Amino acid sequence: MSPPPPPIVNTVNLVKIYQNGGVPVPAVRGVDLQVEAGQFVAVMGPSGSGKSTLVHMIGGLDARTSGEIWLDGRRADTLSESAWALLRRQKIGFVFQFFNLVANMTVADNVELPALLAGASPREARERREYLLGELGLADRADAAPAQLAGGEQQRVALARALANRPSLLLADEPTGNLDSRNTRDVLRLLSEVHRDGQTIIMVTHDARVASLADRVVSLLDGEIVDDGAVGPARRRPRATAGDVVELRG
Amino acid sequence: MRQSLLALLAKEPAHGYELKQALEQIFGSAYPSPNIGQIYVTLSRLEKDGLVRVVDVEQSNRPNKKVYYLTAAGREALDVWVDEPTEGPRVRDEFFMKLVLAPMTGIADRMALISRQRRHYLALMRDLNELAERTDQGNRVALLLIEGAMMHLQADLDWLERCQEDLS
Ligand SMILES: Nc1ncnc2c1ncn2[C@@H]1O[C@H](COP(=O)(O)OP(=O)(O)OP(=O)(O)O)[C@@H](O)[C@H]1O
Ligand SMILES: [Mg+2]
């Protein structure tokens, strides 16, 4: 029997301490997190609990203070910035909490760029972009500049951009934070599809609808994991919590 | 259910089974579907309170059917109900009691209680997601009910997070 494949993400006692005017701010305090290929993990926790810091470190966008990061069985925390950039281009899609779209490029170009950088043909990049923007209800905004879009639209463009390369690992920081419920539904549909295709997703979210679709929910508090487990089936009790409004029937 | 029956009867007189069908059609899978017995029990209470009146309608080859009408008093009760402001949702109390009293019992760790409750809410949310998917997308009433339940659940989760921050 061949050994089981290594987890796609493995952090070992991962620590991040920011310096704030000489004062150390511990943001992530010894996180051990293993994510298997194909898993969909939601990361929840109060504001300031270290969620963004954690996913930034996993994506190589923020340097760790101590500990180790392994991606696909390879040590990653010791990589140079250019090696990280290459790794991201090949394997990782990142959706930032605050979008980070390229301001002087159209929506279409923002979404196509990562695919082109990764070596896709212009035609492949365009077809992928048309598909993603279509799924997210943005087909008619392709030629707009990011500044002309509403926050929720920019957020969906950022998600399309992150998925342009079909990354094996999607890191998403609050990808539905600015969306109304209809747009959240579009995003959920696309994420479910991505998940079904076998991509690994680690997603920071406050949105319980989004988190409830995950295979597993990791809760952070003060930079530490305080809970980590699968979202199970609801226990059916005579009066379910939501039952005052809606009775849940099997 | 009293008010929903009064409201249906305000539209037109009906017999018990028609009322049951109308409720199912309006609310779909998103609302507990009352059984016919519950409907008749409620109707007879409404009749005793003078809010509805029942008339036996003869049918050829069949037993008489009882058709219910709204009375003037029933109409008034319905108007009062619709006009008055509706109570907001109660704060989820039983879990809060557990959380506050946990340290006194010496058995439950508060963080463990919160984590377990969070998983439970997420599981309920997953059920609601599935319910929303199963629901006919044309049934706006059912979908809005489900969405409302989701929003309440989200508020419960946000509040749980506040408890976790402040009690840890
Ligand atoms: N660049 C920085 N310099 C100094 N401190 C920082 C920096 N970035 C984050 N922090 C601090 O690190 C802690 C964790 O921040 P982080 O952004 O990871 O939290 P979060 O869980 O993502 O919160 P939110 O839900 O508000 O996005 C906070 O106390 C924050 O103030
Ligand atoms: Mg954040």
Short mmCIF file of all heavy atoms in Angstrom, two decimals, chain A residues 97-155:
data_model
loop_
_atom_site.label_atom_id
_atom_site.label_comp_id
_atom_site.label_asym_id
_atom_site.label_seq_id
_atom_site.Cartn_x
_atom_site.Cartn_y
_atom_site.Cartn_z
N GLN A 97 -9.90 39.96 1.98
CA GLN A 97 -11.04 40.55 2.68
C GLN A 97 -11.39 41.91 2.04
O GLN A 97 -12.55 42.27 1.97
CB GLN A 97 -10.68 40.72 4.16
CG GLN A 97 -11.84 41.12 5.04
CD GLN A 97 -11.53 40.96 6.52
OE1 GLN A 97 -10.42 40.68 6.91
NE2 GLN A 97 -12.54 41.15 7.36
N PHE A 98 -10.39 42.61 1.57
CA PHE A 98 -10.66 43.92 0.97
C PHE A 98 -10.28 43.95 -0.51
O PHE A 98 -9.64 44.87 -0.99
CB PHE A 98 -9.98 45.02 1.79
CG PHE A 98 -10.43 44.98 3.23
CD1 PHE A 98 -9.57 44.53 4.23
CD2 PHE A 98 -11.73 45.31 3.59
CE1 PHE A 98 -10.00 44.46 5.56
CE2 PHE A 98 -12.16 45.23 4.91
CZ PHE A 98 -11.30 44.80 5.90
N PHE A 99 -10.65 42.90 -1.21
CA PHE A 99 -10.66 42.75 -2.68
C PHE A 99 -9.31 42.82 -3.38
O PHE A 99 -8.96 41.90 -4.11
CB PHE A 99 -11.64 43.72 -3.35
CG PHE A 99 -12.89 43.99 -2.58
CD1 PHE A 99 -13.44 45.25 -2.50
CD2 PHE A 99 -13.54 42.96 -1.89
CE1 PHE A 99 -14.61 45.49 -1.78
CE2 PHE A 99 -14.70 43.18 -1.18
CZ PHE A 99 -15.21 44.45 -1.12
N ASN A 100 -8.57 43.99 -3.22
CA ASN A 100 -7.29 44.16 -3.93
C ASN A 100 -7.37 43.94 -5.44
O ASN A 100 -6.53 43.25 -6.00
CB ASN A 100 -6.24 43.17 -3.37
CG ASN A 100 -5.73 43.61 -2.02
OD1 ASN A 100 -6.24 44.57 -1.47
ND2 ASN A 100 -4.73 42.92 -1.51
N LEU A 101 -8.35 44.54 -6.09
CA LEU A 101 -8.37 44.45 -7.56
C LEU A 101 -7.40 45.48 -8.13
O LEU A 101 -7.08 46.48 -7.48
CB LEU A 101 -9.80 44.72 -8.08
CG LEU A 101 -10.85 43.72 -7.61
CD1 LEU A 101 -12.24 44.15 -8.05
CD2 LEU A 101 -10.53 42.32 -8.13
N VAL A 102 -6.92 45.22 -9.34
CA VAL A 102 -6.02 46.17 -10.00
C VAL A 102 -6.87 47.30 -10.57
O VAL A 102 -7.70 47.08 -11.45
CB VAL A 102 -5.20 45.49 -11.12
CG1 VAL A 102 -4.24 46.49 -11.75
CG2 VAL A 102 -4.44 44.29 -10.55
N ALA A 103 -6.65 48.51 -10.05
CA ALA A 103 -7.58 49.61 -10.32
C ALA A 103 -7.61 50.03 -11.78
O ALA A 103 -8.67 50.38 -12.29
CB ALA A 103 -7.23 50.81 -9.44
N ASN A 104 -6.47 49.99 -12.46
CA ASN A 104 -6.47 50.52 -13.83
C ASN A 104 -6.65 49.43 -14.88
O ASN A 104 -6.29 49.60 -16.02
CB ASN A 104 -5.20 51.34 -14.09
CG ASN A 104 -3.95 50.52 -13.85
OD1 ASN A 104 -4.03 49.30 -13.65
ND2 ASN A 104 -2.79 51.16 -13.87
N MET A 105 -7.21 48.29 -14.47
CA MET A 105 -7.55 47.25 -15.43
C MET A 105 -9.04 46.98 -15.37
O MET A 105 -9.65 47.12 -14.33
CB MET A 105 -6.78 45.95 -15.11
CG MET A 105 -5.35 46.00 -15.62
SD MET A 105 -4.33 44.61 -15.10
CE MET A 105 -5.46 43.30 -14.98
N THR A 106 -9.61 46.56 -16.51
CA THR A 106 -11.04 46.24 -16.49
C THR A 106 -11.28 45.00 -15.63
O THR A 106 -10.36 44.26 -15.30
CB THR A 106 -11.58 45.92 -17.90
OG1 THR A 106 -10.91 44.75 -18.36
CG2 THR A 106 -11.34 47.08 -18.85
N VAL A 107 -12.56 44.78 -15.33
CA VAL A 107 -12.96 43.57 -14.61
C VAL A 107 -12.48 42.34 -15.36
O VAL A 107 -11.89 41.42 -14.80
CB VAL A 107 -14.49 43.57 -14.45
CG1 VAL A 107 -15.01 42.18 -14.09
CG2 VAL A 107 -14.91 44.60 -13.39
N ALA A 108 -12.72 42.32 -16.67
CA ALA A 108 -12.33 41.15 -17.47
C ALA A 108 -10.83 40.89 -17.35
O ALA A 108 -10.39 39.75 -17.14
CB ALA A 108 -12.72 41.37 -18.94
N ASP A 109 -10.04 41.96 -17.45
CA ASP A 109 -8.58 41.78 -17.40
C ASP A 109 -8.13 41.34 -16.01
O ASP A 109 -7.22 40.52 -15.87
CB ASP A 109 -7.86 43.06 -17.82
CG ASP A 109 -8.03 43.34 -19.31
OD1 ASP A 109 -8.40 42.39 -20.04
OD2 ASP A 109 -7.83 44.49 -19.74
N ASN A 110 -8.78 41.87 -14.98
CA ASN A 110 -8.45 41.43 -13.62
C ASN A 110 -8.62 39.92 -13.48
O ASN A 110 -7.81 39.26 -12.86
CB ASN A 110 -9.35 42.14 -12.60
CG ASN A 110 -8.71 43.36 -11.97
OD1 ASN A 110 -7.88 43.25 -11.07
ND2 ASN A 110 -9.07 44.53 -12.47
N VAL A 111 -9.70 39.42 -14.07
CA VAL A 111 -9.99 37.99 -13.89
C VAL A 111 -9.09 37.14 -14.79
O VAL A 111 -8.67 36.05 -14.40
CB VAL A 111 -11.49 37.71 -14.18
CG1 VAL A 111 -11.79 36.21 -14.09
CG2 VAL A 111 -12.36 38.48 -13.19
N GLU A 112 -8.78 37.65 -15.98
CA GLU A 112 -7.98 36.84 -16.90
C GLU A 112 -6.51 36.81 -16.54
O GLU A 112 -5.80 35.85 -16.84
CB GLU A 112 -8.14 37.37 -18.33
CG GLU A 112 -9.51 37.08 -18.91
CD GLU A 112 -9.64 37.58 -20.34
OE1 GLU A 112 -8.61 37.69 -21.04
OE2 GLU A 112 -10.78 37.85 -20.75
N LEU A 113 -6.03 37.88 -15.89
CA LEU A 113 -4.60 38.01 -15.65
C LEU A 113 -3.95 36.78 -15.00
O LEU A 113 -2.94 36.28 -15.51
CB LEU A 113 -4.32 39.28 -14.83
CG LEU A 113 -2.84 39.58 -14.59
CD1 LEU A 113 -2.11 39.85 -15.90
CD2 LEU A 113 -2.68 40.76 -13.63
N PRO A 114 -4.50 36.28 -13.89
CA PRO A 114 -3.81 35.14 -13.26
C PRO A 114 -3.71 33.93 -14.17
O PRO A 114 -2.69 33.23 -14.16
CB PRO A 114 -4.66 34.81 -12.03
CG PRO A 114 -5.74 35.81 -11.97
CD PRO A 114 -5.67 36.72 -13.14
N ALA A 115 -4.74 33.71 -14.98
CA ALA A 115 -4.69 32.55 -15.88
C ALA A 115 -3.61 32.77 -16.94
O ALA A 115 -2.84 31.86 -17.26
CB ALA A 115 -6.06 32.35 -16.53
N LEU A 116 -3.53 34.00 -17.45
CA LEU A 116 -2.51 34.30 -18.47
C LEU A 116 -1.11 34.15 -17.86
O LEU A 116 -0.21 33.58 -18.48
CB LEU A 116 -2.71 35.71 -19.01
CG LEU A 116 -4.00 35.89 -19.83
CD1 LEU A 116 -4.23 37.37 -20.15
CD2 LEU A 116 -3.94 35.07 -21.12
N LEU A 117 -0.94 34.66 -16.64
CA LEU A 117 0.37 34.55 -15.99
C LEU A 117 0.76 33.09 -15.79
O LEU A 117 1.93 32.74 -15.82
CB LEU A 117 0.36 35.26 -14.63
CG LEU A 117 0.35 36.78 -14.67
CD1 LEU A 117 0.23 37.35 -13.26
CD2 LEU A 117 1.62 37.29 -15.35
N ALA A 118 -0.25 32.25 -15.56
CA ALA A 118 0.04 30.83 -15.33
C ALA A 118 0.21 30.06 -16.63
O ALA A 118 0.41 28.86 -16.61
CB ALA A 118 -1.05 30.20 -14.48
N GLY A 119 0.11 30.77 -17.76
CA GLY A 119 0.43 30.11 -19.03
C GLY A 119 -0.78 29.66 -19.84
O GLY A 119 -0.62 28.95 -20.82
N ALA A 120 -2.00 30.07 -19.42
CA ALA A 120 -3.17 29.71 -20.22
C ALA A 120 -3.15 30.51 -21.52
O ALA A 120 -2.58 31.60 -21.58
CB ALA A 120 -4.45 30.02 -19.45
N SER A 121 -3.78 29.96 -22.56
CA SER A 121 -3.88 30.72 -23.81
C SER A 121 -4.91 31.82 -23.62
O SER A 121 -5.80 31.69 -22.77
CB SER A 121 -4.30 29.80 -24.95
OG SER A 121 -5.67 29.47 -24.80
N PRO A 122 -4.81 32.91 -24.42
CA PRO A 122 -5.79 33.99 -24.27
C PRO A 122 -7.22 33.48 -24.41
O PRO A 122 -8.12 33.95 -23.72
CB PRO A 122 -5.43 34.94 -25.42
CG PRO A 122 -4.00 34.68 -25.71
CD PRO A 122 -3.76 33.23 -25.41
N ARG A 123 -7.40 32.51 -25.26
CA ARG A 123 -8.75 32.00 -25.46
C ARG A 123 -9.25 31.24 -24.23
O ARG A 123 -10.38 31.43 -23.78
CB ARG A 123 -8.75 31.10 -26.69
CG ARG A 123 -10.12 30.57 -26.95
CD ARG A 123 -10.30 30.03 -28.34
NE ARG A 123 -11.45 29.15 -28.25
CZ ARG A 123 -11.53 27.99 -28.86
NH1 ARG A 123 -10.54 27.56 -29.61
NH2 ARG A 123 -12.60 27.27 -28.71
N GLU A 124 -8.40 30.39 -23.67
CA GLU A 124 -8.78 29.67 -22.45
C GLU A 124 -9.10 30.66 -21.34
O GLU A 124 -10.09 30.52 -20.61
CB GLU A 124 -7.63 28.78 -21.96
CG GLU A 124 -7.44 27.51 -22.74
CD GLU A 124 -6.09 26.84 -22.41
OE1 GLU A 124 -5.16 27.53 -21.92
OE2 GLU A 124 -5.99 25.64 -22.64
N ALA A 125 -8.25 31.68 -21.21
CA ALA A 125 -8.43 32.66 -20.14
C ALA A 125 -9.76 33.39 -20.33
O ALA A 125 -10.49 33.64 -19.36
CB ALA A 125 -7.27 33.65 -20.13
N ARG A 126 -10.07 33.69 -21.59
CA ARG A 126 -11.31 34.43 -21.83
C ARG A 126 -12.53 33.55 -21.53
O ARG A 126 -13.50 33.98 -20.91
CB ARG A 126 -11.36 34.93 -23.28
CG ARG A 126 -12.68 35.64 -23.62
CD ARG A 126 -12.60 36.41 -24.94
NE ARG A 126 -11.94 35.63 -25.99
CZ ARG A 126 -12.55 34.66 -26.71
NH1 ARG A 126 -13.82 34.40 -26.53
NH2 ARG A 126 -11.88 34.00 -27.63
N GLU A 127 -12.47 32.30 -21.96
CA GLU A 127 -13.62 31.43 -21.74
C GLU A 127 -13.86 31.18 -20.25
O GLU A 127 -15.00 31.19 -19.77
CB GLU A 127 -13.41 30.09 -22.46
CG GLU A 127 -13.64 30.24 -23.95
CD GLU A 127 -13.28 28.99 -24.75
OE1 GLU A 127 -12.83 27.99 -24.12
OE2 GLU A 127 -13.45 29.01 -25.96
N ARG A 128 -12.78 30.99 -19.55
CA ARG A 128 -12.88 30.79 -18.10
C ARG A 128 -13.47 32.05 -17.44
O ARG A 128 -14.35 31.97 -16.59
CB ARG A 128 -11.49 30.48 -17.54
CG ARG A 128 -11.44 30.26 -16.04
CD ARG A 128 -11.90 28.87 -15.67
NE ARG A 128 -11.81 28.65 -14.22
CZ ARG A 128 -12.64 27.88 -13.54
NH1 ARG A 128 -13.62 27.25 -14.14
NH2 ARG A 128 -12.50 27.73 -12.25
N ARG A 129 -13.00 33.19 -17.87
CA ARG A 129 -13.49 34.45 -17.31
C ARG A 129 -14.98 34.63 -17.61
O ARG A 129 -15.77 35.00 -16.74
CB ARG A 129 -12.67 35.61 -17.91
CG ARG A 129 -13.11 37.00 -17.48
CD ARG A 129 -14.01 37.66 -18.51
NE ARG A 129 -13.31 37.97 -19.74
CZ ARG A 129 -13.91 38.48 -20.81
NH1 ARG A 129 -15.22 38.72 -20.78
NH2 ARG A 129 -13.24 38.71 -21.89
N GLU A 130 -15.37 34.32 -18.85
CA GLU A 130 -16.78 34.48 -19.20
C GLU A 130 -17.65 33.56 -18.36
O GLU A 130 -18.71 33.95 -17.87
CB GLU A 130 -16.99 34.19 -20.70
CG GLU A 130 -16.52 35.35 -21.56
CD GLU A 130 -16.47 35.01 -23.06
OE1 GLU A 130 -16.68 33.84 -23.42
OE2 GLU A 130 -16.21 35.94 -23.84
N TYR A 131 -17.15 32.35 -18.16
CA TYR A 131 -17.90 31.40 -17.35
C TYR A 131 -18.05 31.91 -15.91
O TYR A 131 -19.15 31.96 -15.36
CB TYR A 131 -17.20 30.03 -17.36
CG TYR A 131 -17.73 29.09 -16.30
CD1 TYR A 131 -18.97 28.48 -16.45
CD2 TYR A 131 -17.00 28.86 -15.13
CE1 TYR A 131 -19.47 27.64 -15.47
CE2 TYR A 131 -17.49 28.02 -14.15
CZ TYR A 131 -18.72 27.42 -14.31
OH TYR A 131 -19.22 26.62 -13.33
N LEU A 132 -16.94 32.31 -15.30
CA LEU A 132 -16.97 32.71 -13.88
C LEU A 132 -17.82 33.96 -13.68
O LEU A 132 -18.64 34.01 -12.76
CB LEU A 132 -15.54 32.94 -13.36
CG LEU A 132 -14.67 31.69 -13.22
CD1 LEU A 132 -13.21 32.05 -13.02
CD2 LEU A 132 -15.17 30.83 -12.05
N LEU A 133 -17.64 34.95 -14.54
CA LEU A 133 -18.43 36.18 -14.37
C LEU A 133 -19.90 35.87 -14.59
O LEU A 133 -20.77 36.43 -13.91
CB LEU A 133 -17.94 37.28 -15.31
CG LEU A 133 -16.55 37.87 -14.98
CD1 LEU A 133 -16.21 38.99 -15.96
CD2 LEU A 133 -16.48 38.40 -13.56
N GLY A 134 -20.19 34.96 -15.52
CA GLY A 134 -21.58 34.57 -15.75
C GLY A 134 -22.19 33.93 -14.53
O GLY A 134 -23.29 34.27 -14.11
N GLU A 135 -21.46 33.01 -13.93
CA GLU A 135 -21.96 32.32 -12.74
C GLU A 135 -22.22 33.28 -11.59
O GLU A 135 -23.06 33.04 -10.74
CB GLU A 135 -20.94 31.27 -12.26
CG GLU A 135 -20.85 30.03 -13.11
CD GLU A 135 -22.15 29.25 -13.10
OE1 GLU A 135 -22.53 28.75 -12.02
OE2 GLU A 135 -22.79 29.15 -14.16
N LEU A 136 -21.46 34.35 -11.56
CA LEU A 136 -21.58 35.30 -10.44
C LEU A 136 -22.47 36.50 -10.80
O LEU A 136 -22.51 37.48 -10.07
CB LEU A 136 -20.19 35.75 -9.99
CG LEU A 136 -19.36 34.61 -9.38
CD1 LEU A 136 -17.90 35.02 -9.21
CD2 LEU A 136 -19.94 34.19 -8.03
N GLY A 137 -23.15 36.40 -11.92
CA GLY A 137 -24.09 37.46 -12.30
C GLY A 137 -23.41 38.76 -12.69
O GLY A 137 -23.97 39.84 -12.50
N LEU A 138 -22.20 38.67 -13.25
CA LEU A 138 -21.44 39.88 -13.57
C LEU A 138 -21.07 39.97 -15.04
O LEU A 138 -20.19 40.76 -15.41
CB LEU A 138 -20.15 39.91 -12.73
CG LEU A 138 -20.32 40.12 -11.23
CD1 LEU A 138 -19.00 39.85 -10.52
CD2 LEU A 138 -20.79 41.53 -10.95
N ALA A 139 -21.74 39.16 -15.86
CA ALA A 139 -21.35 39.11 -17.27
C ALA A 139 -21.36 40.51 -17.90
O ALA A 139 -20.50 40.84 -18.71
CB ALA A 139 -22.31 38.18 -18.03
N ASP A 140 -22.30 41.34 -17.48
CA ASP A 140 -22.41 42.64 -18.13
C ASP A 140 -21.49 43.71 -17.52
O ASP A 140 -21.52 44.86 -17.92
CB ASP A 140 -23.87 43.12 -18.10
CG ASP A 140 -24.40 43.19 -16.68
OD1 ASP A 140 -23.77 42.60 -15.78
OD2 ASP A 140 -25.45 43.84 -16.47
N ARG A 141 -20.68 43.32 -16.57
CA ARG A 141 -19.75 44.31 -15.99
C ARG A 141 -18.31 44.09 -16.44
O ARG A 141 -17.38 44.69 -15.90
CB ARG A 141 -19.80 44.28 -14.45
CG ARG A 141 -21.17 44.35 -13.81
CD ARG A 141 -22.02 45.50 -14.36
NE ARG A 141 -21.39 46.80 -14.34
CZ ARG A 141 -21.52 47.66 -13.37
NH1 ARG A 141 -22.26 47.37 -12.33
NH2 ARG A 141 -20.92 48.82 -13.42
N ALA A 142 -18.12 43.22 -17.41
CA ALA A 142 -16.76 42.81 -17.80
C ALA A 142 -15.88 43.99 -18.18
O ALA A 142 -14.69 44.00 -17.90
CB ALA A 142 -16.84 41.81 -18.95
N ASP A 143 -16.46 45.01 -18.81
CA ASP A 143 -15.63 46.10 -19.30
C ASP A 143 -15.53 47.27 -18.33
O ASP A 143 -14.90 48.29 -18.63
CB ASP A 143 -16.20 46.61 -20.63
CG ASP A 143 -16.15 45.51 -21.69
OD1 ASP A 143 -15.16 44.73 -21.67
OD2 ASP A 143 -17.09 45.41 -22.50
N ALA A 144 -16.15 47.12 -17.17
CA ALA A 144 -16.10 48.21 -16.19
C ALA A 144 -14.75 48.23 -15.48
O ALA A 144 -14.01 47.25 -15.48
CB ALA A 144 -17.22 48.02 -15.16
N ALA A 145 -14.43 49.38 -14.90
CA ALA A 145 -13.25 49.47 -14.03
C ALA A 145 -13.70 49.13 -12.61
O ALA A 145 -14.85 49.40 -12.24
CB ALA A 145 -12.67 50.87 -14.08
N PRO A 146 -12.82 48.55 -11.80
CA PRO A 146 -13.23 48.16 -10.44
C PRO A 146 -13.88 49.30 -9.66
O PRO A 146 -14.86 49.08 -8.95
CB PRO A 146 -11.91 47.73 -9.80
CG PRO A 146 -11.09 47.21 -10.93
CD PRO A 146 -11.45 48.07 -12.11
N ALA A 147 -13.38 50.53 -9.86
CA ALA A 147 -13.92 51.65 -9.08
C ALA A 147 -15.38 51.93 -9.42
O ALA A 147 -16.09 52.58 -8.64
CB ALA A 147 -13.07 52.90 -9.30
N GLN A 148 -15.82 51.44 -10.59
CA GLN A 148 -17.22 51.70 -10.97
C GLN A 148 -18.18 50.67 -10.37
O GLN A 148 -19.37 50.74 -10.58
CB GLN A 148 -17.35 51.63 -12.50
CG GLN A 148 -16.58 52.72 -13.21
CD GLN A 148 -16.57 52.49 -14.71
OE1 GLN A 148 -16.12 51.45 -15.20
NE2 GLN A 148 -17.08 53.46 -15.46
N LEU A 149 -17.63 49.70 -9.64
CA LEU A 149 -18.47 48.63 -9.12
C LEU A 149 -18.81 48.86 -7.65
O LEU A 149 -18.05 49.47 -6.90
CB LEU A 149 -17.73 47.28 -9.22
CG LEU A 149 -17.26 46.82 -10.60
CD1 LEU A 149 -16.71 45.40 -10.50
CD2 LEU A 149 -18.40 46.87 -11.60
N ALA A 150 -19.97 48.34 -7.26
CA ALA A 150 -20.35 48.32 -5.85
C ALA A 150 -19.45 47.32 -5.10
O ALA A 150 -18.84 46.45 -5.71
CB ALA A 150 -21.81 47.92 -5.71
N GLY A 151 -19.41 47.47 -3.79
CA GLY A 151 -18.55 46.60 -2.98
C GLY A 151 -18.81 45.12 -3.22
O GLY A 151 -17.88 44.33 -3.38
N GLY A 152 -20.08 44.76 -3.26
CA GLY A 152 -20.42 43.35 -3.44
C GLY A 152 -20.02 42.83 -4.81
O GLY A 152 -19.68 41.66 -4.98
N GLU A 153 -20.04 43.74 -5.80
CA GLU A 153 -19.61 43.34 -7.15
C GLU A 153 -18.10 43.15 -7.18
O GLU A 153 -17.59 42.18 -7.74
CB GLU A 153 -20.04 44.41 -8.17
CG GLU A 153 -21.55 44.45 -8.36
CD GLU A 153 -22.01 45.60 -9.23
OE1 GLU A 153 -21.36 46.68 -9.22
OE2 GLU A 153 -23.03 45.45 -9.92
N GLN A 154 -17.39 44.06 -6.56
CA GLN A 154 -15.92 43.92 -6.51
C GLN A 154 -15.54 42.61 -5.83
O GLN A 154 -14.61 41.92 -6.22
CB GLN A 154 -15.29 45.08 -5.75
CG GLN A 154 -15.43 46.41 -6.46
CD GLN A 154 -14.60 47.49 -5.79
OE1 GLN A 154 -13.47 47.27 -5.37
NE2 GLN A 154 -15.18 48.67 -5.67
N GLN A 155 -16.30 42.29 -4.80
CA GLN A 155 -15.99 41.07 -4.06
C GLN A 155 -16.17 39.84 -4.94
O GLN A 155 -15.37 38.91 -4.90
CB GLN A 155 -16.93 40.99 -2.86
CG GLN A 155 -16.51 39.92 -1.90
CD GLN A 155 -17.05 40.23 -0.54
OE1 GLN A 155 -18.21 40.60 -0.40
NE2 GLN A 155 -16.22 40.09 0.46
#
